[in-house]
Amino acid sequence: KSVQESLSEGRFESVLCMLKDNLLPALIRENQEPCSAFCGILPIAATMKNIATLQMYLGLHRDATAFLWEACIFSGISIASCEADNEDDENSDCIKLLKAYNMIYLMWLGISLCALEKYEDSNMVFLKVLFQLQGEKTMSVSTEADDERHKLMSRVLTNIGATFLEMRDYERAQRTLERADALDSNIHTRYLLKYCKYSGVSNRSNASPKLSSRRKLYTPGNNRSNEIS
């Protein structure tokens, strides 16, 4: 059966084996010689990310983290390769696209680290994405591009705030979530902010606030979120 058919039937283990044992080794074998970022390195990184995504759905977060690290390394190599080929145009469409892929891999890596309860490492990764988004300000040429960048920054900040909540650092969580809400107010961020304020007050009164089952992290590429609790 094809990957698409197996996915539609929920046979994730089967798809994982197809990608990890067949497709990825084949891509690596075919790209032993120097190649361009798009025809060689990027498909390998994308396949690693897809493998890691399936592993996360199956609860294999440690394995997923290893593959996401590799995907980030490969996408970093592809960016460096493309920049070397475009010395006169550091903001070319090629480089912008590669950096966007790199941010997606970093976002998934941060989520995977959070699932392993490596919260400080997770936030370091999210901060790297945030710094990249902030660096894009000088490249913005339209209000629409700025609005989209603010939405993405808000989602990254929301992830950082949710991670601070896992650490029960309510003050930093509140400050971070307020920044996220100021950039792009949405129901998920507002919910976490209210929960944060309640939990902080309860904690200061020596109560033990019940951990919320609705705390989630944003996954890249859409507005849905991924459970972390």
Side-chain angles (χ1 to χ4, degrees), residues 26-37 39-41 44 81:
L27 287 171
I28 293 173
R29 282 197 303 271
E30 290 175 5
N31 293 287
Q32 294 295 324
E33 299 299 324
C35 55
S36 71
C39 75
I41 300 174
I44 293 174
S81 173

Side-chain angles (χ1 to χ4, degrees), residues 134-229:
Q134 288 173 333
E136 289 183 0
K137 183 176 181 180
T138 56
M139 305 180 203
S140 295
V141 293
S142 68
T143 303
E144 184 178 347
D146 267 340
D147 289 343
E148 183 62 26
R149 186 172 59 83
H150 288 161
K151 287 181 181 179
L152 291 172
M153 289 174 64
S154 174
R155 279 151 179 71
V156 177
L157 286 166
T158 298
N159 283 359
I160 295 172
T163 307
F164 280 139
L165 279 175
E166 290 293 326
M167 298 167 67
R168 296 183 181 240
D169 189 339
Y170 301 111
E171 289 186 8
R172 282 200 290 180
Q174 181 173 333
R175 289 198 303 269
T176 305
L177 290 167
E178 284 174 346
R179 285 180 62 195
D181 192 54
L183 284 169
D184 179 49
S185 185
N186 60 80
I187 189 169
H188 179 56
T189 304
R190 289 198 301 272
Y191 166 77
L192 286 176
L193 191 52
K194 287 181 180 179
Y195 175 78
C196 175
K197 291 178 179 179
Y198 167 77
S199 299
V201 171
S202 299
N203 190 58
R204 285 192 291 272
S205 62
N206 296 321
S208 297
K210 182 180 179 181
L211 293 178
S212 169
S213 62
R214 291 180 57 191
R215 285 208 308 285
K216 299 181 179 182
L217 292 181
Y218 277 109
T219 57
N222 57 48
N223 292 330
R224 291 182 300 172
S225 47
N226 219 29
E227 291 189 6
I228 60 172
S229 53

Side-chain angles (χ1 to χ4, degrees), residues 88-116:
D88 298 329
D89 188 6
E90 294 182 357
N91 298 328
S92 69
D93 291 339
C94 164
I95 295 173
K96 287 180 181 178
L97 182 59
L98 291 172
K99 287 182 176 179
Y101 276 113
N102 184 252
M103 283 192 281
I104 289 173
Y105 304 151
L106 287 169
M107 283 283 281
W108 278 107
L109 177 59
I111 293 168
S112 183
L113 287 167
C114 194
L116 291 173

Side-chain angles (χ1 to χ4, degrees), residues 30-128:
E30 290 175 5
N31 293 287
Q32 294 295 324
E33 299 299 324
C35 55
S36 71
F38 279 101
C39 75
I41 300 174
L42 187 58
I44 293 174
T47 302
M48 288 176 171
K49 177 263 175 186
N50 290 338
I51 290 170
T53 302
L54 285 169
Q55 289 172 327
M56 289 178 69
Y57 280 125
L58 293 169
L60 306 172
H61 296 292
R62 195 171 300 280
D63 292 339
T65 299
F67 271 98
L68 287 165
W69 273 118
E70 291 293 325
C72 290
I73 291 171
F74 269 84
S75 63
I77 292 172
S78 68
I79 292 170
S81 173
C82 196
E83 286 178 335
D85 293 336
N86 295 271
E87 294 180 357
D88 298 329
D89 188 6
E90 294 182 357
N91 298 328
S92 69
D93 291 339
C94 164
I95 295 173
K96 287 180 181 178
L97 182 59
L98 291 172
K99 287 182 176 179
Y101 276 113
N102 184 252
M103 283 192 281
I104 289 173
Y105 304 151
L106 287 169
M107 283 283 281
W108 278 107
L109 177 59
I111 293 168
S112 183
L113 287 167
C114 194
L116 291 173
E117 299 184 358
K118 295 184 177 182
Y119 302 125
E120 292 184 0
D121 291 339
S122 175
N123 272 353
M124 289 295 291
V125 173
F126 288 140
L127 282 171
K128 184 175 177 62

